[in-house]
Structures are given as C-alpha cells and as structure tokens.
Amino acid sequence: MRMLWFFAVALAAVGQAREPENLAAVVDEMPVLERVLAAALESEVPRWAESRYDFGALHRQTGVHLERWLQESVRTIKAEYLARQGILVSLQFDHRPSARDLPNFVFETMARKGEVSLPGLVTSLNPDDFAELKRLVGEQDEERTKRRELDPAWQVELRNTNETRMPTRPEVSGPIGREISALTGRQNELHTAIIEEIQRLRGLLAETAEGSSIDNIHGVLMRTVCNYATLKSLPDDEHLTLKVRQSERPSEGGLMGVQWTYHVLAKQDVVECRKGTIDAAELRHRAYVY
C-alpha cells in the first residue's frame, strides 16, 4: 500500500513537470484570438460575398435585395491549446449559399421579366427551361387581376345578400360570388403547380462559382490570419491549426452533410505573413491541408 502511494506521488510529480512553462500566457491569449479572428471574419466575409456577387445588378434584375440569402457567415469560433502541438482554432460557417437557396418569388420574378441568368448564380438555364413557369406565372397574374376587378361588385353582392338574409353561404350565393370561388380554386391549383415547377428548375441549376465557394472562403480565412493573428506566447516550433466546419447542401432526399477541413500552419510562417515577408497565398501553400 505504501509503495502504491509513492508511485502515485511520483506520477503526479512527472505530470506537473511536463506542464508547458508558458501555458498560462498561451491560455490567456485564447479569448483574445477568438475575438480578433471573429471580428475580422465578420467584416471580411461580407466583403468577399460582395466581390463574388454584384448585388446591385442582382437587385436591378430581380427587384429583391439578395444579400441575406447569399452571404456566408461565421456561426461559432473557439480556440484551445494543445501542448507541444500548438493552437487549435475551430470555426463553423453557416451552410454555403447557393442559387438553390433563393426564395421562390425570385424565380417567379425572373420568369415575368424574361431573365434566364443571374450574375454569378444561375448560368445553366435557358429560355426553354423557363417557358412553363412563365406560362403559369402569367396565368396566375391574370387570375389575380380578374379577382381585383371583381372585388367592388362582389362587395355589393355581399351586402345585398346579407340584407335579404339568404341562408346560403354569401361568397357563393350570387353569380359574382361563384366566380370568385372558382378563381380561388384555380389560384390554389396554380400556386401548387408553380412550386413544383420551381423545384424542377432548382434541380437544373449548375453554378460556376459554387465549386470554388469553399476554396474562396478558406482564402479569406488565410488573409484574416495573416492580418490579425498574433501568436506571441506560442512556442516557435509549434503550429496554428484551423479546423473549419461547413455544412453541405444535402443530396436529394438526404440530410444536411458536414465537411471538415484542417489547415496546419507553422508559427514561423504565420509570423512571416504577418510581417509581409510572404502573402496569404504562400502561407496557404506552405500549410498542411486535409
């Protein structure tokens, strides 16, 4: 029993002896690194989105401000220290934005205006693809116009119906009411058909910029590290590792997927980039990426 006690004390002493000398200083830097990188990325990512998409042109074409659907954003960021390895920064981005995520009314607007492409977004559709949606939307607009034109006379019919206390439902009691009821049924049918047609168009979409989206956001991350990451307390022979999580669009009928990418950066390379000796592209080239 006495020997076991001495053995436990010896193990504890060994554990304490292997604690990094500057552990407290490195740990103190973790919250600062989190805040600095998070603030920088929140500024850089929207700027990258603006360079990828011409939001002004998109607004002129669709009449809709599309920033909220097309800007990627940082969801979480957490830094921690791994002894003799370095700093691990885990980042999670919201899912990659895509034309497939655009709201239905954007597709309807494109059909009304005869647009078959959006800068940086929809590049694989042609006028024939939009023909059916254009027909459906046009018919829906006609039905809505008819409904608006009938409303004044319908209001008169409703008042007359209420005054005579007819037992039948007022909305179908007269000829105008019955026409209104028929229009409502047709509008519901058109709405369902339009949703189905838009889903078909989403399946046809191929985006030239989509495949490079992850690559671009990681480039933004490298520039942010170059400009803002200070690693004063990190030992010179250790690393800064960026663990990046991005949600992937699910396959047809599947669940949302997840992709992890690791960038392992030598501290000295980060310091050189911070000083301007190398640029972000070279820093990324020197990193281990998997």
Side-chain angles (χ1 to χ4, degrees):
M1 191 66 160
R2 188 177 181 80
M3 289 182 63
L4 287 175
W5 181 82
F6 278 116
F7 183 62
V9 171
L11 282 179
V14 171
Q16 292 174 359
R18 293 179 65 84
E19 180 177 295
E21 293 181 3
N22 62 339
L23 178 61
V26 175
V27 170
D28 286 344
E29 283 188 3
M30 297 300 95
V32 177
L33 185 63
E34 288 177 9
R35 289 195 299 271
V36 169
L37 290 182
L41 285 170
E42 287 295 343
S43 172
E44 289 289 334
V45 170
R47 193 175 302 135
W48 163 75
E50 290 171 7
S51 67
R52 179 186 175 193
Y53 306 117
D54 185 345
F55 286 124
L58 289 173
H59 179 245
R60 287 190 294 274
Q61 282 185 268
T62 64
V64 181
H65 291 287
L66 299 176
E67 289 90 334
R68 58 174 291 195
W69 286 280
L70 297 177
Q71 283 186 352
E72 204 151 6
S73 61
V74 181
R75 181 178 298 177
T76 60
I77 180 169
K78 178 178 176 57
E80 54 191 317
Y81 178 65
L82 306 177
R84 301 188 66 184
Q85 298 178 53
I87 296 172
L88 173 65
V89 179
S90 301
L91 303 104
Q92 180 176 347
F93 288 90
D94 287 326
H95 80 281
R96 194 168 73 237
S98 162
R100 296 187 184 90
D101 299 324
L102 293 175
N104 290 341
F105 63 79
V106 171
F107 288 89
E108 294 180 31
T109 301
M110 291 174 67
R112 287 189 182 95
K113 293 187 174 185
E115 301 284 359
V116 296
S117 66
L118 294 176
L121 285 171
V122 183
T123 61
S124 63
L125 299 177
N126 57 61
D128 291 340
D129 294 326
F130 270 92
E132 178 62 11
L133 181 59
K134 185 176 180 63
R135 184 190 70 80
L136 291 169
V137 169
E139 189 172 345
Q140 183 185 61
D141 290 343
E142 290 177 5
E143 298 293 310
R144 288 173 175 170
T145 299
K146 290 178 184 178
R147 172 65 183 266
R148 286 194 299 269
E149 292 173 347
L150 288 172
D151 271 344
W154 186 39
Q155 295 303 319
V156 173
E157 186 174 86
L158 285 175
R159 284 197 299 271
N160 293 337
T161 300
N162 290 332
E163 288 172 2
T164 57
R165 302 179 182 277
M166 295 179 66
T168 56
R169 289 164 48 203
E171 66 271 20
V172 296
S173 59
I176 298 177
R178 288 190 291 272
E179 189 171 354
I180 289 285
S181 181
L183 284 174
T184 301
R186 179 56 183 157
Q187 285 178 337
N188 291 337
E189 293 175 1
L190 286 170
H191 177 74
T192 300
I194 286 171
I195 296 300
E196 292 176 352
E197 183 61 18
I198 290 174
Q199 290 303 106
R200 185 186 72 84
L201 290 175
R202 291 186 199 278
L204 296 177
L205 285 178
E207 301 171 71
T208 56
E210 180 180 357
S212 61
S213 177
I214 290 180
D215 185 66
N216 286 337
I217 200 68
H218 289 186
V220 171
L221 185 56
M222 287 297 118
R223 291 197 299 274
T224 302
V225 168
C226 269
N227 292 332
Y228 300 101
T230 57
L231 308 173
K232 295 179 181 178
S233 301
L234 185 68
D236 290 340
D237 60 345
E238 295 187 359
H239 298 79
L240 171 65
T241 300
L242 306 172
K243 178 183 177 183
V244 184
R245 180 188 191 274
Q246 283 184 292
S247 299
E248 292 290 300
R249 187 178 299 103
S251 57
E252 194 68 29
L255 300 175
M256 183 70 76
V258 173
Q259 175 173 318
W260 289 99
T261 304
Y262 292 80
H263 297 267
V264 183
L265 311 170
K267 176 188 173 176
Q268 292 306 311
D269 290 337
V270 176
V271 171
E272 284 189 41
C273 197
R274 185 102 164 98
K275 291 179 178 179
T277 308
I278 63 174
D279 60 15
E282 177 61 21
L283 174 65
R284 190 175 182 185
H285 176 73
R286 295 184 183 186
Y288 290 101
V289 182
Y290 59 95

